[in-house]
Amino acid sequence: MTRSAPSPPGARLAAVLRELKGRTGLSLAQLADATTFSKSSWQRYLNGGSLPPRSAVVELCRLAGELADRPLALLDIARTDRTSHETERATTEPPLPPGSPAGEGTGSPPEPPPPATAPADTTASGTTPTDPAPADSAPAHPTPFPHRRTTVLTALASLLALALGALVLLHLPPPRREQARPAPTPAASTTGPLCRHRSCQDKDPLTTRCGAGPQTLAEHETATGAWVQIRYNPVCGASWARMWGAALGDRVEFRAGGADGRVHGARVTNRTEADTYVHTLMSVVDLRTSLQACFVPAAGGPEECFGAVAGVTTAGTAP
């Protein structure tokens, strides 16, 4: 079966993953040895054959010495695109007519009927059937003793094989894994956020590492097809907004604390940002603080705003 080409978001993600692999200097075998994923899995991820799990992206970024926030955002975009296409296919498939079997129309041949039960050797009156039995066939009523003896011997042989297999496994030496070439692992990537609460005000969520593993409180798809999310990191005590799938000149604005709150904004200024995402600076928030994000299209038209509450997740997708 011919493998379908990856979607444009999936192809962009695969290109970024290949670039990160190139920075590690590792071969596919060495990459599999240095991570928890196999060589064949990495081959699919790097070729765009399948979307990787988030942990695979994080491990590759760790080996390449890069922050994982931007590749993870590309993964979110690719997953959203795949989900939307699957939903469209599901809604356009015609339903099966009532009473039709589940396998009808799939091209699978019907299962043949089971063979008829062979007649007994003799009838109730003791007469012999028309077709004679083969000369070497077993008697109609074999002696039960040999059958029981064979069953007992088979069971004993199976138990003996299991016991020997268990002993062999217990005494096998541990597998020796080939030592991979040490990859650069920055110590800073294993630390937590670089700011807390008030010190996070007006800071970038990427440079402060607050963008690592935040919560998505709410999200909104705009009329132009762009996506806007309200993000929140409880460890940092800060929130911000990010936008992807937008056009050049589109803008996202974020406000925390109601009408009197300070507004942070971000605009798409180049093709790289249009292909990935842009995000605002952070605002320090407390639990139950009201949050609002607005999309301002460059082509004109009304703003599209939606809200959330700090600490309360209402988004339909995983953070």
Side-chain angles (χ1 to χ4, degrees), residues 69-240:
D69 195 81
R70 188 172 294 273
L72 288 176
L74 288 174
L75 177 60
D76 290 340
I77 297 171
R79 285 179 174 176
T80 301
D81 180 78
R82 181 182 63 181
T83 302
S84 62
H85 282 77
E86 290 176 352
T87 303
E88 291 176 1
R89 286 196 299 267
T91 54
T92 54
E93 287 183 358
L96 290 175
S100 61
E104 188 174 353
T106 59
S108 301
E111 295 184 1
T117 305
D121 290 342
T122 57
T123 63
S125 59
T127 59
T128 305
T130 303
D131 295 334
D136 58 349
S137 61
H141 302 287
T143 305
F145 176 74
H147 174 72
R148 289 198 300 269
R149 182 174 60 184
T150 303
T151 303
V152 172
L153 291 177
T154 302
L156 290 176
S158 300
L159 291 175
L160 180 60
L162 289 175
L164 290 176
L167 290 175
V168 170
L169 290 176
L170 288 175
H171 290 82
L172 280 177
R176 295 176 59 90
R177 300 188 67 182
E178 183 181 353
Q179 294 294 330
R181 184 171 61 87
T185 304
S189 64
T190 61
T191 61
L194 301 180
C195 67
R196 296 288 195 281
H197 301 280
R198 291 185 179 180
S199 62
C200 294
Q201 181 66 38
D202 302 333
K203 298 292 183 61
D204 190 300
L206 295 188
T207 58
T208 58
R209 301 196 186 99
C210 291
Q215 300 174 4
T216 299
L217 300 182
E219 61 184 6
H220 170 70
E221 184 179 12
T222 69
T224 63
W227 283 86
V228 180
Q229 290 181 329
I230 296 179
R231 309 278 274 177
Y232 169 68
N233 190 318
V235 178
C236 297
S239 185
W240 65 97

Side-chain angles (χ1 to χ4, degrees), residues 4-64:
S4 59
S7 62
R12 288 197 295 268
L13 173 63
V16 171
L17 295 181
R18 289 193 296 270
E19 180 182 355
L20 291 172
K21 174 187 172 295
R23 294 180 188 179
T24 66
L26 301 176
S27 65
L28 276 177
Q30 291 172 331
L31 183 61
D33 199 40
T35 63
T36 56
F37 297 90
S38 65
K39 177 180 176 181
S40 59
S41 296
W42 278 117
Q43 191 169 17
R44 292 194 304 271
Y45 303 155
L46 296 173
N47 292 337
S50 62
L51 296 180
R54 295 178 69 88
S55 56
V57 176
V58 171
E59 290 188 35
L60 181 59
C61 290
R62 175 180 58 82
L63 293 173

